[in-house]
Amino acid sequence: MTADHEHPVLAGRPFPLGAHPEGGGVRFAVASSIADAVEVCLIDDNLVERRVELTERTFGVWHGLVPGVTDGQLYGFRVHGPYDPTRGLRCNPAKLLVDPYARRISGTLTDVDAALGYVGEYMDWTPSAVDSLGSVPLSRVTAPGGADTGTAPNVPWEETVIYEVHVKGFTKSHPEVPEHQRGTYLGMAHPAVIEHLQRLGVTAVELLPVHSFVDEPGLTAQGRNNYWGYSTLGFLAPHAAYASEPGREVEEFRTMVAALHAAGIEVLLDVVFNHTCEGGLGGPTLSFRGLDAPAYYLHSANGGGFDLTGCGNTLDAGSPTVVRLVTDSLRYWASELGVDGFRFDLASVLGRPGGGGFDRNAGLLTAITTDPVLSQRKLISEPWDATGEGYRVGDFGVQWAEWNGRYRDTVRDFWRSATGVAELAYRLSGSSDLYDLSGRRPWQSINFVTAHDGFTLRDLVSYNHKHNEANGEDGRDGTDDNRSWNCGAEGSTDEVSVLELRARQARNLFATLVLSTGTPMITAGDEMWRTQGGNNNAYCQDNETSWMDWAPTDASEAMLTFARRVVALRADCPALRQAEFFDGRETPSGMPDLVWLHADGREMTETDWFDDSRRTLMMWIDGEDCRGRSRLGEPLEDHSWLLVLHSGAEPARINTPPDEYGRCYEPVLDTSTADGVPADMSPLTSGTTLTVPARTFLVLKVRT
């Protein structure tokens, strides 16, 4: 290590934060309201360090322009200041810190002990003198600019079909992707991969975390990895391991976005602004903790932990430092990297400033929705955290879409015959009970039956219980509330009747998801019959358990054919993806916009709704007033539709509705067949008695 006395630091400016090449050098700016001094540490490839003190402090930001520094320079910060963990103060200049605004981060955490800010038991609060250089990630100066990200597709919400996908796992085993590009941003951009997305019919990919992340110490000690990536280190840096060529993660990310945009597919990011990779109080000091822990994290009165996330720490949504970091990060990804929207992990935390009660108008949530850039992006909340107070499905503000956990639970319960039809009706029609009164639209209900966290679709119909032994936690991890049904055998089986029933149940769940009013989210691989062997928490399974298996089988090909058919049906039928809630209004046909029908063809009565043993429901939708518009703003019209959902274990006899609902009913979809094509496509007349097979979803086009 050497100190620099020959190249005086120029004052520079405090904003924007980060490292920015300009004026024959690089201007560094980092926020710390508690520091007594801050050094920027310039590091060469041999880990030789040159320290330069930033002497200017403005608005709590330490800044300076260092002459002679160029793009690509490795650097970090050392912070001198108070070390009093009982007040949450953790400054320790022995710990080299990553810049929270770094746009590239190199390396990873290789020695946890060297990164700890204390020695002995962490409650002793004795500062560590061990230098962490060589054991921790480093920031890298990154000049602006790069590949064009193309023209944003701007897909209307009511047309949106989201595909939740992991960048690495999706292409790691893809036979048509060049080997060096598998598991990378360029792998996602490969024509064969994009063709799969287009043929499936999805309009947006929602990427699991691509912010730079590191493995938790506990996983590292076990020789495991955080595969999902919910352990963020750098909120502006793309994860370097997803680049096919080291150091080109920014350029390759832009190339991926451009390729998807050219195919008409939007790019949404799953972002984690509720906690960081530094973990609980005993965790490593890598960045935020050493810069200004009270400005980033919630603390109790004696400096203790405050954990709303179940991940060891919680970012303080009420801190101006956090508000600035979150909005600066989002704006960077949206403006410079071409991202079309964001899904916010454990988003209730963002509405709990200081760790208090939830407020939909909290400062951070308001800052996001009122930002001139971010307000034009798709904004999706996961409306819960790890506490009871944080469960806020339906409670977010008017500009937020939400993961609808109640949709998932209700649809799973209905198809395993564990509930009646009362709540199902709300979920099929856009969840007006959750979203209408707050001024939102039905497409702000993000409907899903599976996600990365939980069973795959195949496992949902193949296991009654989780099987997480491979995670190394003795089966304690992962939820026990799966609402799954194995159809008669746990896991792998050769029994033909069980396999056929599983496939039918999967088709029922998938068709319900895609054809419900709202925005469907498909989990990558469900359309390819992907299994995780019953593991419902595969966060540390960076292997074939989590990677997409592209090898075709009869079962995977049949499911893919069915999935494409259902997604195409939704795209072609605006009445099945309405932009406004049904409200019983009279349509040009003289009928209400939506009618719920009993199996015998009559309208449902109050008594019918409260019969929890009921397993059959018919949904008639008037297509003449479907409240949809083309992208040019022209009103859309459609046929009327009859949806028949029957989850009973025995066949059901139904009557098609009387003449006033339509005189002709043409079968369009039948989940009792492998490809969804009805075995008999002969039109039915009104009042016809029809036998619906056990556990079947029918869709019929209605003609007058």
Side-chain angles (χ1 to χ4, degrees):
M1 181 273 293
T2 62
D4 192 304
H5 302 292
E6 300 178 2
H7 301 89
V9 179
L10 304 178
R13 296 171 287 110
F15 299 116
L17 295 172
H20 302 272
E22 59 181 58
V26 172
R27 180 180 57 79
F28 296 92
V30 62
S32 179
S33 61
I34 63 172
D36 297 325
V38 174
E39 295 170 312
V40 59
C41 306
L42 307 175
I43 300 160
D44 67 18
D45 293 338
N46 296 316
L47 298 183
V48 175
E49 176 186 4
R50 177 164 68 97
R51 298 184 185 179
V52 180
E53 185 175 356
L54 301 178
T55 58
E56 297 292 326
R57 183 182 183 187
T58 309
F59 311 133
V61 174
W62 297 81
H63 56 94
L65 194 155
V66 183
V69 181
T70 59
D71 180 31
Q73 172 69 56
L74 290 168
Y75 72 100
F77 294 113
R78 295 187 187 271
V79 174
H80 302 258
Y83 184 86
D84 183 359
T86 62
R87 294 190 293 139
L89 305 174
R90 310 290 284 278
C91 297
N92 186 339
K95 307 307 166 186
L96 189 65
L97 307 176
V98 167
D99 181 0
Y101 280 74
R103 299 189 179 193
R104 279 190 291 168
I105 294 175
S106 298
T108 189
L109 176 61
T110 58
D111 185 343
V112 175
D113 290 340
L116 298 179
Y118 58 91
V119 293
E121 296 297 324
Y122 73 86
M123 289 301 290
D124 292 339
W125 305 129
T126 303
S128 166
V130 177
D131 195 324
S132 64
L133 175 60
S135 302
V136 295
L138 300 174
S139 311
R140 191 180 291 274
V141 175
T142 303
D148 179 20
T149 58
T151 302
N154 290 321
V155 179
W157 264 114
E158 59 266 33
E159 297 179 19
T160 298
V161 178
I162 298 172
Y163 190 75
E164 189 198 35
V165 62
H166 190 285
V167 167
K168 179 176 182 179
F170 194 53
T171 66
K172 185 63 178 175
S173 302
H174 199 298
E176 295 183 56
V177 175
E179 189 169 354
H180 73 284
Q181 292 182 357
R182 294 176 187 171
T184 71
Y185 302 120
L186 293 188
M188 283 292 301
H190 191 275
V193 173
I194 290 179
E195 181 187 18
H196 176 81
L197 299 174
Q198 288 181 305
R199 292 191 65 194
L200 180 57
V202 298
T203 69
V205 291
E206 182 176 295
L207 306 180
L208 267 67
V210 295
H211 287 168
S212 179
F213 62 88
V214 298
D215 298 330
E216 294 90 334
L219 287 177
T220 301
Q222 298 175 6
R224 303 178 189 276
N225 302 106
N226 186 320
Y227 170 70
W228 286 348
Y230 292 88
S231 185
T232 309
L233 173 62
F235 292 106
L236 281 81
H239 191 57
Y242 297 159
S244 67
E245 183 178 336
R248 291 190 57 81
E249 57 268 24
V250 176
E251 293 83 355
E252 292 191 10
F253 184 89
R254 283 192 171 108
T255 298
M256 175 193 69
V257 173
L260 289 163
H261 280 178
I265 298 172
E266 294 183 315
V267 178
L268 314 179
L269 299 189
D270 192 337
V271 291
V272 188
F273 292 114
N274 56 81
H275 74 284
T276 77
C277 66
E278 291 184 312
L281 297 178
T285 295
L286 300 175
S287 179
F288 317 96
R289 177 170 283 141
L291 282 166
D292 191 346
Y296 285 103
Y297 297 121
L298 292 174
H299 290 91
S300 59
N302 64 351
F306 202 116
D307 187 5
L308 303 178
T309 66
C311 300
N313 65 54
T314 305
L315 288 169
D316 184 0
S319 166
T321 300
V322 172
V323 173
R324 181 170 57 201
L325 174 61
V326 171
T327 52
D328 284 350
S329 167
L330 294 170
R331 203 178 301 110
Y332 170 69
W333 288 90
S335 298
E336 297 195 34
L337 300 185
V339 170
D340 303 287
F342 305 91
R343 178 266 188 188
F344 293 79
D345 180 66
L346 300 184
S348 295
V349 170
L350 280 61
R352 300 182 66 180
F358 178 80
D359 179 4
R360 70 175 65 176
N361 297 315
L364 179 50
L365 296 176
T366 299
I368 293 169
T369 57
T370 58
D371 184 275
V373 174
L374 304 178
S375 61
Q376 299 181 60
R377 299 301 189 268
K378 287 183 167 72
L379 302 174
I380 303 169
S381 71
E382 182 185 36
W384 49 78
D385 57 31
T387 72
E389 165 66 23
Y391 187 80
R392 293 292 168 175
V393 174
D395 286 348
F396 274 71
V398 69
Q399 286 179 247
W400 291 92
E402 293 180 11
W403 269 28
N404 190 342
R406 288 181 62 179
Y407 179 94
R408 172 200 58 206
D409 295 347
T410 300
V411 171
R412 287 185 178 191
D413 281 348
F414 174 76
W415 283 113
R416 68 190 181 104
S417 295
T419 189
V421 299
E423 186 163 352
L424 177 69
Y426 279 116
R427 306 303 151 235
L428 292 173
S429 57
S431 295
S432 60
D433 58 327
L434 299 177
Y435 304 116
D436 192 14
L437 292 179
S438 61
R440 288 187 276 180
R441 298 287 194 91
W443 39 256
Q444 288 173 282
S445 173
I446 306 300
N447 299 332
F448 66 106
V449 293
T450 64
H452 69 278
D453 186 3
F455 282 148
T456 66
L457 181 61
R458 176 176 172 180
D459 289 355
L460 187 65
V461 297
S462 303
Y463 295 90
N464 283 350
H465 311 286
K466 65 187 180 185
H467 295 266
N468 296 0
E469 292 77 13
N471 296 348
E473 300 182 39
D474 297 324
R476 295 186 301 272
D477 65 302
T479 184
D480 293 312
D481 183 21
N482 295 295
R483 302 174 189 244
S484 60
W485 178 44
N486 64 19
C487 297
E490 186 74 357
S492 180
T493 181
D494 294 325
E495 191 171 341
V496 174
S497 61
V498 172
L499 295 175
E500 290 179 347
L501 178 56
R502 288 176 178 177
R504 179 181 296 198
Q505 286 290 83
R507 292 192 295 270
N508 287 331
L509 290 159
F510 191 90
T512 304
L513 168 65
V514 174
L515 299 180
S516 294
T517 304
T519 299
M521 186 188 76
I522 300 167
T523 305
D526 279 353
E527 80 283 11
M528 298 276 283
W529 207 228
R530 189 176 75 86
T531 180
Q532 292 180 167
N535 193 324
N536 75 349
N537 189 37
Y539 76 103
C540 60
Q541 298 298 320
D542 188 1
N543 51 49
E544 288 82 358
T545 298
S546 296
W547 300 343
M548 176 79 91
D549 184 358
W550 291 91
T553 65
D554 290 345
S556 69
E557 290 293 288
M559 189 65 204
L560 180 58
T561 298
F562 177 82
R564 288 170 174 165
R565 179 177 179 83
V566 176
V567 177
L569 177 61
R570 180 184 190 276
D572 291 340
C573 305
L576 300 178
R577 48 179 173 82
Q578 302 219 16
E580 296 183 17
F581 284 109
F582 301 102
D583 60 7
R585 61 184 176 269
E586 185 174 307
T587 70
S589 69
M591 297 295 293
D593 54 357
L594 170 65
V595 180
W596 299 104
L597 299 170
H598 185 278
D600 63 12
R602 62 174 172 79
E603 190 169 351
M604 292 277 285
T605 66
E606 185 174 356
T607 301
D608 294 329
W609 286 117
F610 286 96
D611 178 1
D612 200 49
S613 67
R614 189 167 303 284
R615 298 290 178 261
T616 307
L617 181 66
M618 298 200 295
M619 179 182 187
W620 182 87
I621 301 172
D622 192 312
E624 291 192 36
D625 185 30
C626 60
R627 297 298 172 99
R629 292 187 178 273
S630 71
R631 296 195 186 186
L632 296 177
E634 300 165 333
L636 296 174
E637 293 185 359
D638 195 5
H639 297 281
S640 295
W641 295 89
L642 181 66
L643 279 58
V644 181
L645 294 87
H646 173 58
S647 66
E650 301 296 331
R653 293 176 65 82
I654 68 164
N655 291 333
T656 55
D659 286 351
E660 59 263 33
Y661 295 97
R663 296 178 180 275
C664 179
Y665 295 81
E666 299 177 3
V668 171
L669 184 76
D670 183 346
T671 62
S672 69
T673 67
D675 58 4
V677 176
D680 184 355
M681 300 186 70
S682 303
L684 305 172
T685 59
S686 57
T688 299
T689 299
L690 174 68
T691 299
V692 179
R695 301 187 176 96
T696 296
F697 184 177
L698 302 179
V699 178
L700 301 99
K701 182 185 296 184
V702 182
R703 298 185 185 275
T704 56

